[in-house]
Amino acid sequence: MSREQERLKERIAAELDRGRRRSNGLTLDALDEEDLLAQHSPLMSPLVWDLAHIGNYEEQWLLRAAGGRAALRPDIDGLYDAFENPRADRVALPLLRPEEARAYNDRVRREVLDALDAADLDAVPAPRAPGERTLLEAGFVYHMVIQHEHQHDETMLATHQLRRGAPVLLEEEAAPPRAVPPPSEEVLVPAGPFTMGTDDDPWSYDNERGAHTVDLDAYWIDTDPVTNAAYQRFVDDGGYRDRRWWSARGWEWCRRREAEAPAFWDRDGTTWTRRRFGRVEEVPPDQPVQHVSFHEADAYARWAGRRLPTEAEWEKAARFDPATGRSLRFPWGDGDPDHSRANLGQRALGPHPVGGHPDGVSPLGVRQLIGDVWEWTSTTFHGYPGFASFPYREYSEVFFDRDYKVLRGGSWATHPTAVRSTFRNWDHPVRRQIFSGFRCARDADRD
């Protein structure tokens, strides 16, 4: 085994362990059995379902598909199939109880580490078709499972936010970095082509591939995400009561939902407060707004005389380096995220103030593109030219062109291994329990 493969296996084992400690910290270490079995919102699964689903997914992909081993618990596959069981129905299933889920996950993990030790991560198909990958090549299937667990951890955090009761989650980083006044409110992105997507990122999913050239007109994009203070001006100006700012579907949603502000906001006299993981606090004016739907983001942008960026505009602002013509893996370059560059990984239970993380700025001068809040774009989720499903259709392809809107950039709840400038998230335009915000754009010819 090469030293490079040995280092890769060491990293995989470490990341698998980090993911599991985080999952247990959000479930078994935080809540009692009653809370874990309860459904805190019809939008979300019982937390114990997510916990055992993580282990079942790991068993199916790392033991059976990649390791060629016999199934440990084929009898529970149907219970933890996300496509067979809508979230609202999962509470009625005969789920593993919390300690049974722990024992099952521990058993799977022991066998996974044994299989990893014997796996050949240097193997490549021969002959290789263009764009062809294998499960084990460069550790792809392990990366997929690591990201999957962290994605469910973020989903579990959304469940915690919807849960009523005393606070149970602690912040590692209670004091966010001091915000730096923005040098400008918006940045001009020059016209021209850039490379969108990727062909070679070992962590990338099929929907991030392949790399292709996109030629855009010049446009302006916000230097920072829209803040709570800016969004409050829209609320106080009657934005939720003014039909002019809403699309037809957005207005229908707004009226049916009787929305008046972002989710979890409430007015206490003249002060806006929010509920955050069981704590009630004043809405901090300098943080990016979060828990807004696509419809709310779109309405705000219209009210402000602007629009939401397209997915391609967001990615060019995040990746394109005009000095070299390259598209970078992250706004700051190709190096992995750290705490100076982005607010990721649940260290704080919310966004940091805008203007923080100056080391994470993109070459074009756009900030906080990674972490803090997922950012809505105006693009409907679709496949790139030449798209090919890998390793299964249900990860991406079944969601294409079904009115899901693309979100970019990750949130404070997203783990660093589960986000990059090419990563694509998607959700229904009505969703706002997710940690979603936005920034605005406008055409350059509207100066």
Side-chain angles (χ1 to χ4, degrees):
M1 180 170 57
S2 68
R3 179 55 187 154
E4 182 178 355
Q5 183 172 176
E6 187 178 343
R7 285 195 296 267
L8 177 57
K9 288 185 177 183
E10 289 171 354
R11 181 180 182 187
I12 287 169
E15 293 294 352
L16 286 168
D17 180 63
R18 289 189 187 100
R20 186 53 44 81
R21 283 188 281 113
R22 186 185 185 199
S23 299
N24 288 344
L26 290 168
T27 54
L28 300 166
D29 300 340
L31 296 169
D32 61 21
E33 183 170 287
E34 182 180 359
D35 259 344
L36 292 174
L37 291 168
Q39 186 163 44
H40 298 286
S41 165
L43 294 172
M44 311 303 290
S45 311
L47 287 164
V48 75
W49 186 93
D50 286 285
L51 183 65
H53 168 78
I54 287 166
N56 185 249
Y57 186 93
E58 183 172 329
E59 183 199 341
Q60 292 194 46
W61 284 104
L62 298 188
L63 294 184
R64 303 183 205 174
R69 300 194 177 198
L72 300 180
R73 290 291 306 268
D75 57 306
I76 65 173
D77 289 353
L79 297 177
Y80 298 103
D81 187 320
F83 291 91
E84 286 188 15
N85 304 296
R87 286 180 175 178
D89 299 342
R90 293 170 187 170
V91 69
L93 297 173
L95 303 174
L96 298 181
R97 302 189 78 81
E99 286 306 316
E100 293 175 309
R102 184 201 296 271
Y104 169 64
N105 285 0
D106 288 349
R107 181 185 176 194
V108 170
R109 179 56 55 81
R110 287 193 298 271
E111 294 222 14
V112 162
L113 294 176
D114 183 63
L116 173 63
D117 189 56
D120 183 1
L121 307 185
D122 289 332
V124 297
R128 177 195 289 273
E132 183 180 0
R133 291 191 285 176
T134 67
L135 287 177
L136 288 175
E137 183 180 354
F140 168 78
V141 71
Y142 291 95
H143 298 159
M144 181 181 78
V145 168
I146 289 165
Q147 291 179 93
H148 173 266
E149 179 153 2
H150 281 302
Q151 287 165 343
H152 271 272
D153 290 343
E154 183 162 356
T155 299
M156 290 192 287
L157 279 164
T159 304
H160 272 276
Q161 172 62 16
L162 288 162
R163 169 186 166 270
R164 293 287 182 171
V168 296
L169 300 180
L170 301 177
E171 293 181 290
E172 292 183 37
E173 190 176 271
R178 185 179 63 85
V180 179
S184 61
E185 293 184 356
E186 56 184 355
V187 171
L188 178 65
V189 180
F194 84 106
T195 300
M196 185 172 184
T198 181
D199 284 331
D200 54 11
D201 193 310
W203 291 77
S204 64
Y205 284 107
D206 54 9
N207 64 66
E208 299 172 63
R209 296 179 172 232
H212 57 290
T213 300
V214 177
D215 200 344
L216 298 175
D217 293 333
Y219 60 96
W220 292 90
I221 192 166
D222 287 352
T223 305
D224 299 296
V226 171
T227 64
N228 287 319
Y231 197 87
Q232 185 180 327
R233 289 193 287 274
F234 167 67
V235 175
D236 292 344
D237 193 44
Y240 280 82
R241 301 186 300 275
D242 194 329
R243 171 68 182 84
R244 288 178 298 166
W245 313 128
W246 299 79
S247 68
R249 292 180 61 197
W251 185 244
E252 179 186 1
W253 170 85
C254 183
R255 295 297 87 200
R256 184 176 65 252
R257 190 73 174 75
E258 298 182 347
E260 297 180 345
F264 311 111
W265 281 31
D266 194 16
R267 195 193 296 270
D268 182 10
T270 59
T271 302
W272 282 102
T273 63
R274 68 178 182 186
R275 180 170 58 83
R276 184 174 64 96
F277 297 103
R279 304 167 179 88
V280 176
E281 59 194 16
E282 283 193 34
V283 172
D286 56 355
Q287 288 183 10
V289 66
Q290 67 171 348
H291 297 305
V292 291
S293 68
F294 168 84
H295 294 311
E296 291 166 289
D298 180 60
Y300 172 94
R302 294 169 191 250
W303 170 82
R306 300 164 71 78
R307 59 176 175 80
L308 295 180
T310 67
E311 180 182 17
E313 288 173 335
W314 188 98
E315 186 167 323
K316 184 174 183 179
R319 301 184 68 200
F320 180 65
D321 183 352
T324 64
R326 286 187 61 225
S327 287
L328 307 174
R329 189 167 191 247
F330 294 102
W332 53 83
D334 296 330
D336 290 339
D338 60 30
H339 305 317
S340 72
R341 292 166 166 164
N343 177 17
L344 292 165
Q346 195 189 325
R347 291 180 61 83
L349 295 177
H352 283 171
V354 297
H357 304 284
D359 293 344
V361 68
S362 79
L364 290 166
V366 189
R367 301 193 302 195
Q368 285 173 273
L369 288 151
I370 299 294
D372 287 304
V373 289
W374 288 103
E375 297 185 17
W376 289 106
T377 73
S378 63
T379 300
T380 299
F381 189 47
H382 63 279
Y384 289 158
F387 171 84
S389 292
F390 179 80
Y392 61 110
R393 291 185 64 247
E394 288 77 12
Y395 181 74
S396 300
E397 188 174 1
V398 298
F399 299 100
F400 289 164
D401 303 315
R402 290 177 53 193
D403 198 37
Y404 290 90
K405 293 298 184 182
V406 175
L407 301 102
R408 289 301 204 103
S411 76
W412 60 266
T414 308
H415 193 265
T417 59
V419 72
R420 52 207 156 263
S421 295
T422 57
F423 186 88
R424 308 172 75 196
N425 191 7
W426 64 94
D427 213 328
H428 295 290
V430 300
R431 290 286 187 258
R432 59 182 191 160
Q433 83 275 14
I434 58 176
F435 306 109
S436 52
F438 64 101
R439 71 182 72 218
C440 296
R442 64 184 176 93
D443 298 342
D445 59 11
R446 290 185 56 197
D447 291 351

